[in-house]
Amino acid sequence: MFEDQILHIVPFMILLLPLGGFTVLALFGDWIKRDKEENGAGILACATVLGSFGLSVWSVVRLFGLVAGPTGLRFSQPYLGFEWIEAGGFRVPLSLLLDPLSAVMILVVTGVGALIHVYSLGYMAHDPVRVSYFSYLNLFTFFMLLLVLGGSMPLMFVGWEGVGLCSYLLIGFWFKKDSASAAGMKAFVVNRIGDAGLILGMVLIFHSFGSLDLVEITDNAGSLAKEGLGEFGVVTAACLLLFLGATGKSAQIPLHVWLPDAMEGPTPVSALIHAATMVTAGVYMVARLAPLFHQSETAMATVAVVGAATALMAATIALVQTDIKRVLAYSTVSQLGYMFLACGVGAFGVAVFHLFTHAFFKALLFLGSGSVIHAMSGEQDMTKMGGLRTRIPWTFWTFVIGTLAIAGIYPFAGFFSKDEILLGTLNAGRPVLFGLALFTALLTAFYMWRLLFMTFFGRFRGSHEAEHHLHESPWSMLLPLVLLAVGSATVGFVKVPHLIEAVFRLPVEAEHHVPWLPYLASAVAIAGIVGAYYLYVLFTDLPARVATTFAPLYRLFDAKYYFDKAYYALVDDVVVKGSDLVLWKKVDAGSIDGTVDATGRAVDAVAGVLRFAQTGLVRSYAFLILGGAVALLGYLLWP
């Protein structure tokens, strides 16, 4: 009984530890700096997240022990706090929800997040405002934990908005750079568009269920009438609005444009946002509400098509990028598309599985790129790198493991989750989506090994000064790389879909095993690797000739399908110039000011006529009075 009580308290402790770290750093940051404790802020921030990770491991072990034991704890048992909102019939308790789905998420957020915190000790060691940096990291972790542990949609929404705020602070952390400030603002504004859809979706859900409690929604979603393909009832409308919110947070077409620009922040921030936390929020939300999405075939098809299209589009853009972090950024967009594709074909557990494996190998790749940038004294252009495998061997070999994992090579993590997604599309009877996903897997292997070969192989193409300063990163940065490399090589064996399948409350459908699929997927990945080796190691003059031969496609990919140009044109020509021409000159100056000015002129004209009656002469007033009296008397006597 005592352990059960502790289990009810632990989720709050997991949540509040990072918040406590933020509070201390926010209140006493100046004292820490004045006391010249070089790593005091970083150590405190790391300790709080490591504490949350330890409690997460204990609570997850205990949770699965209870599930398998005689006590029969429900998977979706809410851990109640106190009444948060109570207005008429609208009631929202402050409740946290610890079930297998949120358990997987808190392990990812705190585990990978803790390694990123530790990595930051070395990466940000000489930054003069690192106290603020670590306080933002702790606050970000708190809001992400609130998002995944929140037992109701309003509580989840607070975490949702919180990570959006923290992303603005972290992406624009080096705010003296105009590009960093602009990137932070872009992320904030684009996410607000998606958030508007999320709010409207919540309103429709409350209209349908009379509640925003996640357990009640998922328990009762099956009672709603299922809406077929092409039907646009309340369920479809709510799901599409929620998915609009997910496209903003998880960078899907058409709201994906903020994520590549987020590279302006420190590299550990890129790893935190792109691997373990913010960008996975949309996938988590769709998976959490799987019973609701399952009731709308239109919404499911939309999620699948948008996911597949985003995966392919981002992969093609990554083919031509030369900035090492931007290649990884578009890779993240592509992999998120894979996750939504899995959700759209009904493989929600597989989507979370890929989220889980992706957190390890993508965090490894981003932190590895940070180690490369550290060695190159801040240089990010791959055309100025080369031959680094002998100069920074620890970074190289851990990067190889991450690249093998994302390419889907057995036995690394990406092999298992990627193949499960391909199998899910086949079992759902979506051969076109399967073909797109398979082709995207080929491109993924190609552009990732292109990155590896351009960075670590061949001759060094940078300046003599940069070559002179080449050096391996300190162990505060290398240790997280090693641990993430171990995770990238092993976590694929964790049967995440099996562990969380009961959360979704969906009818179990027979899955058809496809024995040739792993061989086909592996052959495609190997073909991508061989192609990259052929172009970027054996015949390094060929890429320029290929780019010239396929110049229209190259320009399309390099221009990122002109999304940014279209949005800037929309903002500049429609919003700014339209506001100037229509709202200001016509509505404000023309209609509003014109009406006020016309009213003034009319009053002035009337006053001008009446002015003649106000002469100031008594005899004139007497004459007017006499004239008025004669006129009135004449009117009365006339009949």
Side-chain angles (χ1 to χ4, degrees), residues 518-535:
Y519 300 102
L520 174 62
S522 298
V524 165
I526 292 171
I529 296 171
V530 171
Y533 182 78
Y534 185 82
L535 289 175

Side-chain angles (χ1 to χ4, degrees), residues 76 97 99 101 153 205 209 213-227 235-236 238-239 242 283-297 299-300 343 346-349 352 500-507:
S76 297
L97 180 59
D99 64 0
L101 177 57
M153 294 199 71
I205 288 178
F209 293 98
D213 182 83
L214 288 170
V215 175
E216 292 184 22
I217 294 171
T218 52
D219 281 346
N220 300 321
S223 63
L224 299 175
K226 191 165 186 176
E227 297 175 5
V235 175
T236 299
C239 290
L242 293 174
V283 179
Y284 167 78
M285 185 264 291
V286 172
R288 171 61 72 189
L289 296 174
L292 185 67
F293 276 83
H294 193 261
Q295 295 302 107
S296 171
E297 293 184 13
M300 293 287 284
C343 288
F348 294 99
V352 177
I500 65 175
E501 61 183 358
V503 174
F504 305 120
R505 294 177 175 78
L506 298 176

Side-chain angles (χ1 to χ4, degrees), residues 375-398:
M376 292 288 299
S377 303
E379 181 60 63
Q380 297 182 197
D381 190 346
M382 295 187 299
T383 62
K384 298 178 182 179
M385 299 179 186
L388 299 183
R389 69 184 186 279
T390 58
R391 307 294 185 91
I392 46 175
W394 283 95
T395 300
F396 167 67
W397 286 110
T398 54

Side-chain angles (χ1 to χ4, degrees), residues 470-545:
L470 283 174
H471 59 286
E472 185 63 277
S473 299
W475 270 103
S476 60
M477 295 170 63
L478 292 178
L479 180 59
L481 291 181
V482 172
L483 294 176
L484 287 169
V486 172
S488 299
T490 59
V491 297
F493 294 98
V494 180
K495 303 299 182 183
V496 171
H498 175 70
L499 292 175
I500 65 175
E501 61 183 358
V503 174
F504 305 120
R505 294 177 175 78
L506 298 176
V508 179
E509 299 179 4
E511 292 188 359
H512 303 286
H513 181 62
V514 183
W516 48 263
L517 181 58
Y519 300 102
L520 174 62
S522 298
V524 165
I526 292 171
I529 296 171
V530 171
Y533 182 78
Y534 185 82
L535 289 175
Y536 293 95
V537 176
L538 295 182
F539 303 100
T540 54
D541 60 322
L542 277 180
R545 290 160 55 187

Side-chain angles (χ1 to χ4, degrees), residues 393-434:
W394 283 95
T395 300
F396 167 67
W397 286 110
T398 54
F399 209 96
V400 168
I401 292 174
T403 310
L404 287 168
I406 195 173
I409 301 299
Y410 182 85
F412 299 94
F415 169 82
F416 299 95
S417 56
K418 181 194 69 177
D419 280 15
E420 289 287 342
I421 294 173
L422 294 173
L423 179 62
T425 58
L426 283 179
N427 283 324
R430 309 284 186 180
V432 175
L433 296 181
F434 171 78

Side-chain angles (χ1 to χ4, degrees), residues 212-272:
L212 291 174
D213 182 83
L214 288 170
V215 175
E216 292 184 22
I217 294 171
T218 52
D219 281 346
N220 300 321
S223 63
L224 299 175
K226 191 165 186 176
E227 297 175 5
L229 190 63
E231 295 183 25
F232 290 91
V234 175
V235 175
T236 299
C239 290
L240 291 178
L241 287 168
L242 293 174
F243 182 58
L244 177 60
T247 60
K249 199 66 73 183
S250 295
Q252 299 295 286
I253 295 173
L255 300 180
H256 64 283
V257 292
W258 68 269
L259 193 142
D261 288 357
M263 296 300 96
E264 293 293 337
T267 298
V269 171
S270 302
L272 190 68

